[in-house]
Amino acid sequence: MKTIQEVTQQHAAQHGKLVIYRELDSRGQEIGQITFAELHQRAMAVAQYLLAQPDPAPSVLLLFPPGIDFMVAFVGTIMAGKIAVPTARPGAVGLKRALPRLQRIAADCAARAILADAGFVDDMREHGRGRWLTEHQLLPWPIPTVDASIPLPPPQLDAVAYLQYSSGSTGAPKGVMITHRNIAANTAAIERRMGCPGRVVSVEWMPHFHDYSLVNGLLLALYAGAEHVILPSMTLLRAPQVWLQTVSTYRAWRSGGPNFAYQQCVDRIADADIVGLDLSHWKWVHCGAEPIKAATVEAFLRRFAPAGLSPDAFHPGYGMAEATLFVTSTCLGDAWRASPVRPSDRQSLTVSCGVPAAGLALRIVDPQAQRVLPEGQVGEIWLSTDNPSVSPGYWQAEALNREVFQARLEGTSGEYLRTGDLGYLCAGELTISGRLKDLMIFQGRNIVPTDIEWLAQSECQWLRTDGGAAFAMDDALSTRLVLVQEADKRCPENCLPGYAHAIQQTLALHLGLTLDEIVFIRTGSLPKTSSGKIQRRECRELFTQGTLPVLFRYQRDGHGKTPSTPPYDTPLDALRELLAAQLGCGLEQVDVARSLFDFGMDSPALVLFHERIHRQHPEWALDVTDLFQCASLTNLADLVGGGQTLGEDTCDGQRARRTQQRNRRRMSDGLDN
């Protein structure tokens, strides 16, 4: 294993004239490149400048847009024996909101020196935030020339190279310590999983400060001696065709991103833009960082098959910063496969994320009992810390490290990293089921938010894919299920009430539940991390505060007022009115021939509907089991008197006795079963 300093020096000596990084603009036009020799020379200058400064602080904050300058500063900082702290470089618009987080990170890692591009400094001063800069040593960029004879500190494999601060999808940002040994081990593991392709071309558009792009893109190219093409991070959102055109132009062997990137390509790339693409050389189409939808994978591979994309090129995986990055993926040559979110699910909505890296022990654990679960059972994913890819822990967080990095299994002596992710194994392959902290317990059942979110989005044309957050709200009496969902800008607002009812019916059919509240919000307003992960906690807080930009709100009010005087004459008309009141819809949307369950009515909803009927019409003497037995409002109306008027006595002794006998039979049948 080699340190970053050793690898950079080796490639500069052996392959100095070969290009390592190319930088492109948002249109895909090349605006810069750097060879291995130039990278080593410029990084050395940064390192020697840092060593000439009086600041003894161990860390340097790096605030750059994606590109060659960032990597020069990153490598140079590490070569100086400092700890690099890459983080999001905010633009002028988001500066005020981002500054508190930057201040917290700088304070946590004791970074008094800042390396940043000139544009960031100008933005800070223009918007009155320059005072924060005076509290730190803002180093000039480009770096001025200093004494080249300043010796570099000797490289150490177990020294911390950089801090990977979490993007905060489940809590406050934490700095993961990544050592040189971690980097060398994890990049080698990725190389082996890909079949050691050698000097190939890769293309990335993801944020450079995120572990996915930093390790799988920039550092992997450095350690493998490969060529890496860098696109601006906003390229995918502005023009996804530029990403695929870059893959085609540079004949990239590997490239990828989270699930939403592939969905963007499916939804927004026109047929005319596919003509002329050559994706036949794209052999490693990687996907991770967020839940992967089987439907998205299928649609992407089908849409771009005419461009030569092979279905066997798709390689889903699972990783995390606490393990440097790579944990599992499919192997080169293996076909991806759809997989249920839980083994018992009827639909295969997600995909298998493949097998663990060689030498990495992965266990599925009951998080309460802390014992290993057998294959086919969902539990928390634990990773053995006896692997060089696993981080030594979080920066200056001893108590948290004991909880997360020093977990022990019942009856064993080794230590494990608790990932906080839920999943299960099938034939040795891992499927991700969700996040432990996002898990909702409803009526004694464990509900994974993605189940609700994906099913809701699958039924409605104008609902944004990967734009929903489901969560539970607990009050003194019960648990309420809520879905916050982005609607596309093109969505007519009059569609949203119908979408709410369609979602309820879909969830009732597939999950046996319905939601208490559905809130449709504007496009782009759902809180997400820089890597596209949904921030459900923050969304719940915004929901509670009432600060979401709401387009339409649907509420299932089980205790709402009902009309004091029924305006209709027959039981069927009355039942239709009562059901419309409970569902919050118009009478025209209530099909009296449809099953009650098709309206999204789960067991609690049917009980509430029975209470509503009984308050209005106690003379019908309906039992709650009648609502479960009758398939539709028509059948229920027939039970209480069919076409009779509401003034007639429909509750004679004979019908009451029939009801009692029927209920006794049901109870008897239930006991026999």
Side-chain angles (χ1 to χ4, degrees):
M1 292 186 182
K2 291 183 172 64
T3 64
I4 284 181
Q5 179 179 334
E6 292 167 331
V7 167
T8 306
Q9 185 174 1
Q10 175 185 317
H11 285 312
Q14 297 178 358
H15 315 292
K17 295 183 179 180
L18 295 179
V19 172
I20 176 173
Y21 300 123
R22 298 183 189 272
E23 183 177 341
L24 276 56
D25 63 17
S26 59
R27 298 169 300 169
Q29 301 300 310
E30 189 168 317
I31 57 176
Q33 60 176 247
I34 190 170
T35 65
F36 284 101
E38 291 167 340
L39 174 64
H40 181 255
Q41 181 183 12
R42 290 185 59 188
M44 280 284 290
V46 171
Q48 287 164 340
Y49 182 83
L50 291 175
L51 290 170
Q53 304 309 305
D55 180 26
S59 306
V60 178
L61 204 63
L62 306 181
L63 293 166
F64 288 86
I68 292 171
D69 281 353
F70 164 75
M71 205 56 193
V72 169
F74 180 83
V75 174
T77 299
I78 294 171
M79 289 174 68
K82 302 285 188 178
I83 299 173
V85 185
T87 189
R89 186 267 200 211
V93 175
L95 191 57
K96 182 178 180 180
R97 185 176 61 180
L99 187 56
R101 184 174 185 273
L102 289 178
Q103 291 172 316
R104 289 194 300 270
I105 290 175
D108 183 68
C109 67
R112 289 197 293 271
I114 301 173
L115 277 174
D117 68 296
F120 173 76
V121 178
D122 292 342
D123 289 342
M124 290 286 285
R125 289 172 177 159
E126 182 180 347
H127 292 80
R129 310 289 167 188
R131 181 180 299 178
W132 181 64
L133 293 177
T134 63
E135 301 169 1
H136 299 76
Q137 183 184 9
L138 181 62
L139 304 178
W141 191 267
I143 290 291
T145 303
V146 297
D147 184 0
S149 65
I150 299 176
L152 301 184
Q156 298 178 2
L157 267 176
D158 293 314
V160 176
Y162 67 93
L163 296 179
Q164 180 70 65
Y165 274 87
S166 67
S167 50
S169 64
T170 58
K174 303 178 291 291
V176 181
M177 296 183 287
I178 303 298
T179 68
H180 292 269
R181 189 184 300 275
N182 293 151
I183 301 168
N186 206 247
T187 52
I190 298 172
E191 273 283 289
R192 289 192 296 270
R193 181 53 53 91
M194 295 190 303
C196 298
R199 181 173 166 78
V200 295
V201 178
S202 58
V203 172
E204 296 291 354
W205 53 267
M206 289 177 290
H208 55 291
F209 53 85
H210 189 267
D211 56 319
Y212 197 166
S213 181
L214 181 57
V215 178
N216 197 47
L218 296 164
L219 288 174
L220 182 56
L222 178 61
Y223 271 75
E227 181 180 329
H228 187 66
V229 181
I230 306 167
L231 280 166
S233 300
M234 293 301 293
T235 300
L236 184 85
L237 297 178
R238 292 173 178 167
Q241 68 272 16
V242 172
W243 172 34
L244 298 195
Q245 184 59 60
T246 303
V247 170
S248 176
T249 300
Y250 287 90
R251 302 185 64 80
W253 191 87
R254 64 182 180 89
S255 186
N259 184 90
F260 82 87
Y262 298 100
Q263 191 65 50
Q264 285 279 317
C265 292
V266 171
D267 294 341
R268 297 180 55 199
I269 296 181
D271 292 344
D273 291 324
I274 299 177
V275 176
L277 287 179
D278 178 9
L279 305 180
S280 60
H281 44 270
W282 193 4
K283 302 301 183 184
W284 193 267
V285 184
H286 54 79
C287 184
E290 67 178 11
I292 305 171
K293 295 182 179 180
T296 298
V297 178
E298 291 170 353
F300 179 82
L301 294 174
R302 183 172 57 251
R303 182 99 170 90
F304 296 97
L309 183 61
S310 168
D312 293 337
F314 189 81
H315 293 281
Y318 166 70
M320 61 189 313
E322 287 82 351
T324 307
L325 175 67
F326 170 54
V327 175
T328 75
S329 80
T330 55
C331 299
L332 187 66
D334 289 350
W336 71 279
R337 66 177 181 85
S339 178
V341 176
R342 286 172 303 275
S344 59
D345 290 355
R346 289 177 291 178
Q347 289 185 302
S348 294
L349 296 177
T350 187
V351 303
S352 163
C353 288
V355 296
L360 179 60
L362 183 151
R363 304 284 184 264
I364 303 298
V365 178
D366 181 326
Q368 280 75 44
Q370 297 194 344
R371 58 180 177 80
V372 177
L373 296 172
E375 282 208 351
Q377 290 193 27
V378 175
E380 186 182 4
I381 302 166
W382 286 24
L383 307 175
S384 172
T385 58
D386 186 23
N387 184 281
S389 285
V390 177
S391 162
Y394 299 115
W395 177 259
Q396 295 183 339
E398 293 184 10
L400 185 60
N401 287 339
R402 285 193 295 272
E403 177 186 345
V404 176
F405 285 87
Q406 299 171 23
R408 293 183 181 274
L409 287 170
E410 182 183 54
T412 65
S413 58
E415 293 181 341
Y416 285 81
L417 162 64
R418 297 189 62 169
T419 68
D421 291 317
L422 296 171
Y424 67 92
L425 292 171
C426 179
E429 295 188 8
L430 177 68
T431 295
I432 306 300
S433 301
R435 285 286 294 171
L436 184 60
K437 291 182 179 179
D438 288 335
L439 193 67
M440 300 180 291
I441 301 177
F442 181 71
Q443 297 177 353
R445 298 169 54 196
N446 290 336
I447 307 297
V448 179
T450 51
D451 285 358
I452 294 174
E453 295 157 5
W454 293 2
L455 284 170
Q457 295 155 8
S458 68
E459 293 298 316
C460 306
Q461 177 184 2
W462 299 114
L463 296 188
R464 299 271 294 183
T465 302
D466 302 317
F471 49 85
M473 299 290 294
D474 295 319
D475 57 33
L477 298 177
S478 62
T479 297
R480 296 166 52 235
L481 296 182
V482 179
L483 172 66
V484 175
Q485 173 64 49
E486 288 184 354
D488 192 276
K489 293 178 182 178
R490 297 166 292 176
C491 177
E493 287 195 22
N494 59 5
C495 289
L496 296 178
Y499 282 178
H501 297 297
I503 290 170
Q504 294 287 57
Q505 294 166 19
T506 300
L507 296 180
L509 177 64
H510 293 287
L511 299 180
L513 60 84
T514 53
L515 302 171
D516 295 280
E517 195 155 351
I518 303 173
V519 179
F520 297 103
I521 60 176
R522 289 201 307 265
T523 297
S525 54
L526 188 75
K528 294 183 179 181
T529 69
S530 58
S531 61
K533 293 180 181 177
I534 297 166
Q535 293 178 303
R536 296 182 182 87
R537 282 185 171 185
E538 184 175 342
C539 185
R540 183 169 56 189
E541 290 177 7
L542 296 175
F543 172 82
T544 303
Q545 296 165 4
T547 55
L548 289 168
V550 177
L551 298 174
F552 178 78
R553 183 187 301 269
Y554 166 91
Q555 292 176 308
R556 187 183 73 178
D557 182 10
H559 300 284
K561 294 181 180 180
T562 55
S564 56
T565 304
Y568 301 108
D569 292 331
T570 67
L572 182 59
D573 289 338
L575 287 168
R576 190 181 188 188
E577 168 74 14
L578 292 171
L579 182 58
Q582 174 150 332
L583 295 176
C585 66
L587 288 173
E588 69 280 0
Q589 293 178 287
V590 178
D591 184 347
V592 295
R594 295 180 66 184
S595 167
L596 293 175
F597 291 101
D598 287 343
F599 288 102
M601 303 278 283
D602 57 7
S603 298
L606 289 177
V607 171
L608 292 173
F609 187 40
H610 173 261
E611 293 176 0
R612 185 185 288 264
I613 295 171
H614 181 71
R615 286 197 303 270
Q616 188 65 49
H617 296 288
E619 74 277 6
W620 289 350
L622 277 177
D623 189 87
V624 68
T625 55
D626 290 323
L627 275 68
F628 287 87
Q629 184 70 14
C630 293
S632 65
L633 290 183
T634 301
N635 292 346
L636 197 59
D638 289 341
L639 187 64
V640 297
Q644 295 181 357
T645 62
L646 292 173
E648 297 178 12
D649 183 9
T650 60
C651 185
D652 58 26
Q654 183 179 5
R655 198 193 66 78
R657 286 192 295 271
R658 287 200 305 268
T659 299
Q660 293 170 356
Q661 291 168 359
R662 185 170 60 250
N663 292 340
R664 282 197 295 270
R665 285 197 301 271
R666 290 174 188 150
M667 292 178 63
S668 176
D669 291 343
L671 292 174
D672 290 342
N673 292 331

